[in-house]
Amino acid sequence: MKNKIDQLLNLRQQALTGGGLAQQKKRHQSGRLTARERIDLLVDEGSFEEFDMFKCHRCTHFNMAEKEWLGDGVITGYGTIKGRLLYLFSQDFSVAGGSLSETHAEKICKVMDMALKNGAPVIGLNDSGGARIQEGIESLAGYADIFLRNVQCSGVIPQLSLIFGPCAGGAVYSPALTDFTIMVENNSYMFLTGPKVVKSVTGEEVTAEQLGGSGIHTRHSGVAHLAAASEQLAIAAARDLLSFLPQNNMLPPAIQETDDPAHRGVPALNQLIPVDRNRPYDMKQLIAEIIDNNCFFEIQPDYAPNLIIGFARFNGMAVGIVANQPAHMAGVLDNNASIKGARFVRCCDAFNIPLVTLVDVPGFMPGTVQEYGGIIRNGAKLLYAYAEATVPKITLTTRKAYGGAYCVMSSKHLRGDINYAWPSAEIAVMGAKGAVELIYGKELAGKPEELRQMEHEYNETFSTPYAAARRGYVDDVILPERTRLRICKALTMLADKRDSNPPRKHGNIPL
Ligand code: HXC
């Protein structure tokens, strides 16, 4: 027996070194952790259980029969984060650049199947040069098998992707299908084809950072949701993010005990809105004041900053916050903000996370850039997402809610459960200046004093919360200082909400 145990221990040791000590050293030299070090940081100490440590590829082309790595470049298994079960895979770049073979894919599919069957999140630690080129069609098939599972898991269990190293080719489509993608600044890349292929196909010269660095994907493409300064911080962010999500779509998110009293008044909020209705203020200040312990987990902070999205808690209950940001482009809704908001609203709805929407929006952005970019289609996405969402929906209008943007931002008409407004709210078809110019522009041309008077009248009549409150579109006009308490109470009242949509295969969201 001793011999057999020694053999097992030797094989295990072999598997633990992946592509060899020299390759792993190279990884450290490039400022990166090894695949196993990442797992150690992600899961609770001692909780990781590994599968398929001895699995090897079956490829014989291009001398591959002579190359064999136990585990075939990916470590798979399950563990816990803060005691909660999760499944994971961690690609090992030291083995053929973390490239995906048929068997590497089989290992990933196995943990995804188990995650789906057992209703627990799956986290992918991605570090891969894409399809293993020596294998050809088998590795492509492996990718498609993973993509299919990503789609089957979508909206059933949370799926998170962490991106380390240069992820190329097929290695980027699986993350794109997951709920959240976190990158590492200056050390992780996502592209369909690397800079060398780009140069040979289009002649374009571009660095990896310019092509698919974290700055590109968190600011411009919207592919990644967060970028962390180090691998350690990226992993810590994943652990935090997971705490807001339930294990699966049949469960609510966990309630976290808090020492922040629900009845805490915030008198400073009575002064938040500037006297001049066109002056900006920072919506993040409002968020910070009303949530538990000023603890806001912002998603996509650098993409379309005119709309803020992220997770927080009220009296321990996890919520998704969607808020216009008057401090950036006056909080206007444009193409990117609409897409950003729509995806987040659908994610919260899929995972039973109530939505708190904070509204101060002058409207949709006008002009050719937005129209050519499809603001009609993209704005409709946000409208669609709010309309179909059946989770508790609480809306607070702090100042402007004009035109189509009023309808879209979780209005009563889209099944908003509780719609509050501050006394400073202006809920109207459009701003007074534009409205008066349209109605009286010809009649009062050259009479600026009369125009100003009409503007004042329009504001008095329509730019208040009371026209909406009289019709019940706003449930109450509340004191700003009591906002936290009112939201906490509304969330408790809505905790057992049940609502549904008509039976159908699926809706046809204007993608
Ligand atoms: C097999 C690969 C590989 C791959 C890297 N390696 N990518 N082996 N298949 N896809 C191997 C290298 O040969 C090398 O082996 C080792 O991994 C490290 O790679 P380097 O190139 O030395 O590392 P680096 O300079 O850091 O560059 C990393 C890289 C580059 C940017 C990822 O390797 C690269 O461009 N790889 C190919 C990327 C790509 O085009 N993938 C698309 C595949 S097609 P040795 O033995 O020398 O150490 C695809 C289609 C799927 O994915 C589509 C599904 C929708």
Side-chain angles (χ1 to χ4, degrees):
M1 187 65 182
K2 178 165 183 325
N3 288 353
K4 290 187 191 284
I5 289 177
D6 285 347
Q7 182 194 21
L8 170 65
L9 295 179
N10 282 339
L11 285 170
R12 275 197 197 289
Q13 192 51 39
Q14 204 179 315
L16 291 179
T17 52
L21 292 177
Q23 289 289 353
Q24 296 202 351
K25 196 167 160 209
K26 256 172 90 178
R27 214 70 198 128
H28 281 154
Q29 279 163 350
S30 71
R32 297 183 175 99
L33 299 170
T34 65
R36 286 185 186 278
E37 286 166 346
R38 290 170 185 152
I39 296 175
D40 288 346
L41 284 174
L42 179 69
V43 299
D44 298 336
E45 201 179 335
S47 70
F48 184 59
E49 294 290 332
E50 187 169 344
F51 302 134
D52 296 332
M53 204 180 201
F54 308 121
K55 193 152 179 163
C56 295
H57 71 76
R58 298 183 276 262
C59 178
T60 50
H61 310 297
F62 301 102
N63 300 328
M64 284 298 279
E66 291 152 31
K67 293 183 187 167
E68 193 176 78
W69 308 274
L70 293 185
D72 204 24
V74 65
I75 300 148
T76 59
Y78 69 94
T80 60
I81 290 185
K82 296 175 191 163
R84 283 173 52 186
L85 173 67
L86 88 152
Y87 293 82
L88 64 86
F89 66 88
S90 180
Q91 292 175 314
D92 185 350
F93 196 88
S94 75
V95 175
S99 58
L100 187 127
S101 66
E102 180 191 20
T103 42
H104 179 128
E106 283 169 2
K107 287 182 67 173
I108 295 176
C109 289
K110 187 192 265 189
V111 282
M112 292 180 80
D113 288 342
M114 293 188 85
L116 189 61
K117 211 182 282 179
N118 295 297
V122 62
I123 299 191
L125 310 177
N126 297 270
D127 193 354
S128 169
R132 190 166 298 162
I133 294 164
Q134 296 90 331
E135 289 206 6
I137 189 71
E138 282 94 341
S139 57
L140 282 188
Y143 265 127
D145 289 340
I146 294 171
F147 302 155
L148 174 70
R149 281 163 179 79
N150 283 131
V151 175
Q152 300 286 343
C153 292
S154 182
V156 182
I157 51 172
Q159 301 180 82
L160 266 57
S161 298
L162 290 157
I163 308 294
F164 305 113
C167 286
V172 294
Y173 266 120
S174 173
L177 290 166
T178 62
D179 299 303
F180 297 101
T181 296
I182 303 175
M183 296 184 73
V184 180
E185 286 167 18
N186 306 315
N187 221 356
S188 74
Y189 310 99
M190 296 175 81
F191 30 66
L192 280 185
T193 50
K196 284 179 208 149
V197 181
V198 171
K199 174 117 183 11
S200 68
V201 175
T202 68
E204 189 184 4
E205 287 204 36
V206 67
T207 64
E209 190 66 39
Q210 291 164 336
L211 188 61
S214 66
I216 299 301
H217 290 311
T218 53
R219 283 186 209 112
H220 302 294
S221 73
V223 165
H225 297 86
L226 288 170
S230 66
E231 294 196 6
Q232 287 84 346
L233 288 173
I235 291 168
R239 285 174 61 95
D240 279 355
L241 175 52
L242 209 59
S243 74
F244 292 98
L245 306 172
Q247 286 295 88
N248 58 61
N249 67 330
M250 304 298 280
L251 295 170
I255 293 183
Q256 206 169 83
E257 277 203 22
T258 177
D259 55 4
D260 195 353
H263 61 262
R264 174 171 55 80
V266 191
L269 292 182
N270 293 339
Q271 271 80 49
L272 182 69
I273 304 295
V275 178
D276 177 352
R277 53 165 43 105
N278 292 320
R279 271 202 44 207
Y281 62 94
D282 188 358
M283 187 63 94
K284 286 189 192 168
Q285 203 182 324
L286 167 58
I287 295 171
E289 299 278 11
I290 58 177
I291 62 177
D292 290 358
N293 298 110
N294 184 7
C295 193
F296 183 47
F297 191 99
E298 190 172 358
I299 306 285
Q300 291 187 301
D302 301 321
Y303 182 79
N306 37 325
L307 190 81
I308 303 164
I309 57 170
F311 295 109
R313 290 187 180 86
F314 283 91
N315 205 18
M317 295 170 275
V319 300
I321 292 184
V322 180
N324 309 112
Q325 172 56 293
H328 192 91
M329 291 163 57
V332 74
L333 283 175
D334 59 0
N335 281 306
N336 289 352
S338 302
I339 295 167
K340 172 181 174 178
R343 181 160 167 78
F344 184 68
V345 166
R346 296 191 97 216
C347 178
C348 290
D349 189 44
F351 290 116
N352 310 317
I353 302 169
L355 286 161
V356 173
T357 304
L358 306 172
V359 183
D360 187 346
V361 60
F364 279 101
M365 183 83 168
T368 50
V369 172
Q370 295 299 315
E371 294 287 359
Y372 294 178
I375 190 68
I376 298 172
R377 187 167 40 85
N378 293 323
K381 287 178 188 154
L382 187 56
L383 189 57
Y384 191 112
Y386 267 121
E388 77 170 348
T390 55
V391 286
K393 292 187 279 194
I394 297 168
T395 311
L396 169 72
T397 303
T398 58
R399 192 169 59 176
K400 298 174 190 184
Y402 282 117
Y406 157 73
C407 301
V408 170
M409 294 298 292
S410 201
S411 65
K412 197 51 128 188
H413 324 282
L414 302 184
R415 295 192 283 179
D417 294 295
I418 291 293
N419 292 67
Y420 287 143
W422 280 0
S424 46
E426 307 167 16
I427 304 174
V429 175
M430 58 163 61
K433 201 168 159 44
V436 166
E437 257 166 36
L438 271 174
I439 307 171
Y440 296 107
K442 282 186 202 140
E443 193 183 324
L444 300 180
K447 298 178 181 164
E449 197 41 51
E450 275 95 329
L451 271 173
R452 253 194 303 279
Q453 178 55 29
M454 293 314 295
E455 226 178 282
H456 177 72
E457 242 174 69
Y458 190 93
N459 271 330
E460 291 294 300
T461 316
F462 294 118
S463 302
T464 79
Y466 299 106
R470 270 197 291 271
R471 284 160 182 77
Y473 302 157
V474 158
D475 297 296
D476 198 6
V477 181
I478 66 169
L479 290 173
E481 66 178 73
R482 283 169 56 85
T483 301
R484 171 171 164 82
L485 172 64
R486 300 298 294 264
I487 292 177
C488 287
K489 285 176 89 168
L491 281 167
T492 306
M493 181 269 286
L494 294 166
D496 295 325
K497 179 188 170 187
R498 289 280 173 274
D499 201 353
S500 59
N501 292 314
R504 56 185 160 192
K505 190 170 175 192
H506 57 70
N508 192 9
I509 189 166
L511 292 172

